[in-house]
Amino acid sequence: MAEDSLERVAAATLFLVGGDDHPVLEWNEAASERLSCEKSLEVVDGASHLFEEPGALEAVADAAAEWFAEKLA
């Protein structure tokens, strides 16, 4: 949905994607490649789109907390 705006993104960007959600993973990889800002793509192994698997949502929360702690320090 943001395809036309990716080149204009200047803010550090974190992608969190379930490793078992192959289409969304591919879309996020392609979007990440188009960004020129600082970025990171974190893949939660064994997780689907909604991170409903045991421990998946916690892994997302941990990765996001670590990212924000680093970027806001």
Side-chain angles (χ1 to χ4, degrees):
M1 294 187 319
E3 188 173 342
D4 294 337
S5 302
L6 291 172
E7 286 80 13
R8 295 191 311 264
V9 174
T13 304
L14 173 63
F15 295 88
L16 292 163
V17 185
D20 287 349
D21 192 1
H22 301 287
V24 173
L25 178 55
E26 290 176 16
W27 297 332
N28 279 271
E29 288 171 336
S32 178
E33 289 176 13
R34 293 184 54 195
L35 294 178
S36 59
C37 60
E38 182 179 357
K39 63 200 171 208
S40 179
L41 186 136
E42 301 289 331
V43 178
V44 180
D45 291 329
S48 63
H49 182 66
L50 298 177
F51 304 104
E52 296 176 318
E53 298 75 15
L57 196 53
E58 290 81 359
V60 168
D62 290 344
E66 185 177 315
W67 170 265
F68 283 110
E70 178 184 318
K71 300 304 167 208
L72 299 175

